[in-house]
Amino acid sequence: MAEKREKREIVFKGIGVSPGIAIQQVQILCPQIQHAVQRSITPEEIPLEIARFEEALIATHDQLMLIQKQMADVLGDEHASIFDAHMLVVDDRSFIEDVIRTVKKDLVNVEPILQAEATRYAEMLSKVDDSYLSERAVDIRDVTKRILANLAGESLNQVGQISEPCIVVAHDLSPSDTASIDRKLVHGFVTDLGSETSHTSIMAKALEVPAVVGLHNITTAVSSGDTVLIDGAKGRVFVNPTAERLAEYEKRAEEQKQILNELDTLRDKPPETLDGYLVPLSANIELLEELDGVVARGAKGIGLFRTEFLFLGSDTLPDEEEQAAAYERAAKSQYPSAVVIRTLDLGADKLPANFEKPDELNPFLGSRAIRLCLLRPELFKTQLRAILRASAYDNVQIMYPMVCCVQEVIEANALLRQCMDELREKGVSFNEDIQIGTMIEVPSAALIADIIAPHVSFFSIGTNDLIQYTMAVDRGNENVAHLYKPAHMAIVRLIDHVVKVSHEHGLWTCVCGQMASDPLFVPLLIGLGVDELSVSPSQTPMIKDVIRKLFYSGAMELARKALKAPSKEYVEQLCREMIEQVAPEVLELSE
Ligand code: PEP
Ligand code: MG
């Protein structure tokens, strides 16, 4: 309806994924173009339209050249040659002339014609009984997406183009969009899609940008220029808040500030329970800029360095030297506390802009993390050598993500040994006894923890994925967010099993999934015998507060009850009662 909306307050409830209160004007981000929109043009506009098309082709050609060069540097010429086929498409004059002819004949913009022509070519090729030609269909689709993006050019309103202070409203944000947010300008964000442990939400926490996701239709309910208030802890969003609401939140923000100031005093105190049990508290980081915040918030060391974010933030793949420099910076900043560098967890929702996407129907079950690395040994080995170089600081440890069977660990270790040989030959120093760990985030790995144990020194439980893969609940899908429950008995039992097995084999177990950053579940994890918690830096003060107000004996009692509980609701209730009793103030900040 064209009628101007009254500035009435509208209240939304979504999933609060990054705490904090923010008030600002809305900036709506356009979704990525999926279907090209048709628009009529006049005969006079034809030359302009053709020029636009030619410019997009040149831009695409240049980008492909750059990617090809980067791929050749990192993966070798053989892999880079896959882009030859892409290049043939942008340089195919008969294809280009077909598009231009139709623009002139139909008098419509180039996008829908390009899309239709590309689909026609791709379908024709995919039917040919020749594997080389039918594979070219995939190249045509890929290149077309890139040309369409270049045609959209400046008209696409993207995160990187924000120039005014605002709260971003978007249908969805990719982890790399989120990584490129300018915190000085973006005071918060809200999205239709998303859930608590999606990588976008994890990034929001890392950046300490208040965020609420899973709002279903917020993009249709606001207009640019509206004012939005977000309460990232409680998951509430107020569009055009009333004066009373603003006053209420001003008071709330003041109270939260006071609690946080008090928690700040815990910074240099040990994460120790009232009965003297020490629970090492390390941090999860995605970006090097977070390093200073680790110690400042009272954590010691890095329990999880999500290195793939080094690759997501830039258009070029970092080489061995660049990676080694990043890892050394992390190692030096925390020395002598341990820095666990997780090897690339690329794939699924985390793919760099210029990375060739595997064509998969279920990417979260596809070539992700260690699987992708083992498929691309040169990419993997570049990273392994970089980590080894950094291990000259002997606090560096290495960790493999998304392991589902022992062979993956054996193969990864074999590649690591190859890298050691290569560095030794070059006279580069590294730690020969570097500790190797594996993430336990796939139920199969949890169940064969005893078989994996002899090949590693530690386990780190990634509850974000462990819950997703155990419960068959997409961790990023707000429609099934109600089923995504850390307190589910299956999760409690799997954690218990992994911890017991690790101790039987003389290993230690950390939990680095978001469950460890949620104060509600901290007593349970400690009671289950978890040896270390690795949490979002911003959550550290709250988690330390809980640990320091807890009796270890009480946590063990809670875990005993939870292991016998009849339902996830009962486990949740036990956890809530415990927090309400020991540290109710953290509930104001966290949910
Ligand atoms: C996890 O799955 O719990 C984890 C820590 O890894 P990520 O969130 O990066 O998938
Ligand atoms: Mg994971």
Side-chain angles (χ1 to χ4, degrees):
M1 216 189 292
E3 186 186 320
K4 196 163 169 13
R5 231 161 7 102
E6 270 184 31
K7 300 274 176 182
R8 229 172 5 98
E9 180 183 77
I10 316 172
V11 183
F12 285 85
K13 176 81 180 84
I15 306 168
V17 293
S18 180
I21 294 166
I23 307 162
Q24 255 312 332
Q25 293 223 317
V26 165
Q27 172 90 52
I28 302 177
L29 292 195
C30 302
Q32 203 75 34
I33 291 180
Q34 295 294 346
H35 297 289
V37 176
Q38 183 162 327
R39 160 176 65 79
S40 300
I41 58 169
T42 62
E44 294 73 45
E45 284 172 323
I46 291 173
L48 206 66
E49 202 55 23
I50 295 172
R52 228 166 53 80
F53 184 34
E54 297 282 2
E55 271 168 31
L57 289 170
I58 292 169
T60 307
H61 181 98
D62 292 352
Q63 288 162 359
L64 288 173
M65 292 275 282
L66 186 69
I67 302 169
Q68 199 166 32
K69 185 180 169 308
Q70 287 159 356
M71 292 280 280
D73 290 349
V74 179
L75 301 177
D77 290 340
E78 187 201 333
H79 287 86
S81 66
I82 52 174
F83 283 97
D84 289 346
H86 286 61
M87 208 67 103
L88 285 179
V89 180
V90 243
D91 292 339
D92 182 345
R93 279 323 295 184
S94 76
F95 172 68
I96 295 166
E97 289 307 330
D98 277 353
V99 174
I100 293 177
R101 223 182 345 268
T102 317
V103 167
K104 288 179 178 164
K105 180 167 74 63
D106 293 357
L107 289 178
V108 288
N109 59 321
V110 75
E111 285 91 339
I113 292 168
L114 169 67
Q115 207 167 38
E117 275 300 302
T119 308
R120 194 171 65 80
Y121 262 58
E123 274 172 7
M124 239 160 52
L125 285 176
S126 61
K127 283 186 194 135
V128 177
D129 191 15
D130 173 306
S131 64
Y132 175 80
L133 283 178
S134 55
E135 275 164 26
R136 298 291 69 79
V138 178
D139 298 326
I140 291 186
R141 289 194 186 102
D142 268 11
V143 174
T144 306
K145 269 192 228 151
R146 193 173 281 280
I147 305 172
L148 283 171
N150 281 317
L151 277 165
E154 291 296 308
S155 66
L156 257 188
N157 196 2
Q158 291 300 302
V159 173
Q161 295 167 3
I162 286 169
S163 56
E164 303 270 315
C166 66
I167 282 175
V168 164
V169 177
H171 184 58
D172 194 16
L173 287 175
S174 69
S176 52
D177 279 341
T178 319
S180 56
I181 270 177
D182 179 344
R183 269 174 289 180
K184 286 197 260 353
L185 296 175
V186 178
H187 292 204
F189 70 79
V190 297
T191 57
D192 291 336
L193 304 187
S195 68
E196 176 138 24
T197 57
S198 65
H199 288 108
T200 300
S201 304
I202 290 169
M203 252 341 264
K205 254 202 195 97
L207 296 167
E208 300 191 23
V209 174
V212 180
V213 304
L215 289 151
H216 301 287
N217 60 351
I218 185 101
T219 43
T220 57
V222 296
S223 316
S224 284
D226 279 344
T227 299
V228 161
L229 186 161
I230 62 181
D231 177 345
K234 311 273 178 214
R236 296 203 196 108
V237 177
F238 306 92
V239 181
N240 297 318
T242 59
E244 297 78 49
R245 186 78 61 196
L246 289 171
E248 174 197 335
Y249 268 89
E250 211 171 300
K251 189 160 156 260
R252 249 217 163 103
E254 194 45 49
E255 281 164 9
Q256 291 190 0
K257 204 165 128 202
Q258 264 178 29
I259 300 175
L260 284 171
N261 284 344
E262 273 165 40
L263 295 187
D264 260 357
T265 61
L266 301 179
R267 199 180 92 149
D268 299 319
K269 304 226 164 94
E272 195 174 73
T273 61
L274 292 169
D275 43 355
Y277 181 78
L278 190 74
V279 187
L281 195 52
S282 54
N284 294 349
I285 64 158
E286 288 73 38
L287 307 167
L288 291 172
E289 295 90 271
E290 290 177 85
L291 285 172
D292 291 343
V294 174
V295 182
R297 296 308 178 98
K300 259 193 167 181
I302 312 286
L304 168 65
F305 184 174
R306 290 183 165 100
T307 57
E308 57 279 3
F309 283 88
L310 293 178
F311 287 62
L312 292 184
S314 71
D315 289 341
T316 55
L317 297 176
D319 61 19
E320 188 175 320
E321 272 70 34
E322 280 174 277
Q323 288 190 55
Y327 307 147
E328 275 163 19
R329 197 171 134 196
K332 200 169 158 193
S333 80
Q334 304 300 313
Y335 201 83
S337 303
V339 171
V340 179
I341 302 182
R342 181 176 74 178
T343 59
L344 290 171
D345 182 5
L346 287 175
D349 58 340
K350 289 184 289 191
L351 277 168
N354 291 334
F355 204 79
E356 206 212 351
K357 269 195 175 87
D359 194 11
E360 297 177 325
L361 280 179
N362 290 308
F364 270 97
L365 302 181
S367 313
R368 182 188 162 192
I370 192 74
R371 301 172 182 184
L372 187 86
C373 284
L374 293 175
L375 282 172
R376 301 187 179 196
E378 283 313 315
L379 175 76
F380 191 33
K381 282 178 69 185
T382 302
Q383 180 173 41
L384 293 177
R385 280 192 302 267
I387 301 175
L388 284 172
R389 279 171 187 261
S391 75
Y393 289 92
D394 58 11
N395 58 335
V396 166
Q397 302 178 354
I398 196 164
M399 176 161 79
Y400 307 130
M402 210 190 161
V403 162
C404 72
C405 52
V406 70
Q407 283 74 14
E408 288 167 329
V409 182
I410 294 172
E411 247 185 87
N413 281 346
L415 289 172
L416 184 68
R417 276 193 299 275
Q418 272 181 29
C419 293
M420 287 180 167
D421 291 342
E422 286 162 18
L423 292 181
R424 228 179 269 118
E425 257 175 45
K426 285 191 184 158
V428 178
S429 55
F430 61 90
N431 180 6
E432 299 268 356
D433 300 317
I434 187 168
Q435 282 206 32
I436 302 162
T438 178
M439 292 205 56
I440 301 287
E441 49 184 352
V442 178
S444 62
L447 294 170
I448 59 156
D450 58 325
I451 300 175
I452 296 176
H455 302 276
V456 293
S457 309
F458 64 90
F459 291 145
S460 190
I461 303 180
T463 49
N464 305 338
D465 279 312
L466 188 63
I467 298 169
Q468 150 162 281
Y469 294 129
T470 304
M471 311 270 301
V473 174
D474 178 346
R475 64 190 266 186
N477 182 343
E478 68 287 357
N479 295 326
V480 285
H482 60 287
L483 293 172
Y484 189 96
K485 294 285 177 197
H488 193 285
M489 295 305 300
I491 305 303
V492 179
R493 287 180 191 178
L494 283 173
I495 296 174
D496 178 58
H497 174 72
V498 172
V499 170
K500 284 198 174 118
V501 169
S502 71
H503 292 170
E504 279 161 20
H505 286 77
L507 312 187
W508 52 276
T509 294
C510 173
V511 172
C512 63
Q514 283 302 111
M515 188 175 178
S517 293
D518 186 339
L520 203 61
F521 298 117
V522 165
L524 175 60
L525 293 176
I526 294 174
L528 287 169
V530 167
D531 302 288
E532 176 177 332
L533 301 176
S534 186
V535 307
S536 312
S538 59
Q539 299 292 102
T540 314
M542 273 186 279
I543 305 301
K544 199 186 266 190
D545 184 48
V546 173
I547 295 171
R548 290 178 57 82
K549 287 180 169 162
L550 200 65
F551 279 99
Y552 181 48
S553 52
M556 285 199 297
E557 180 56 25
L558 168 74
R560 263 194 297 275
K561 284 189 191 154
L563 282 166
K564 289 199 207 117
S567 67
K568 57 185 184 309
E569 288 74 19
Y570 188 68
V571 175
E572 231 170 64
Q573 188 192 329
L574 290 173
C575 293
R576 186 166 300 279
E577 280 167 9
M578 172 75 90
I579 285 295
E580 279 169 359
Q581 194 192 329
V582 302
E585 66 284 1
V586 298
L587 292 176
E588 169 61 29
L589 299 172
S590 63
E591 59 173 33

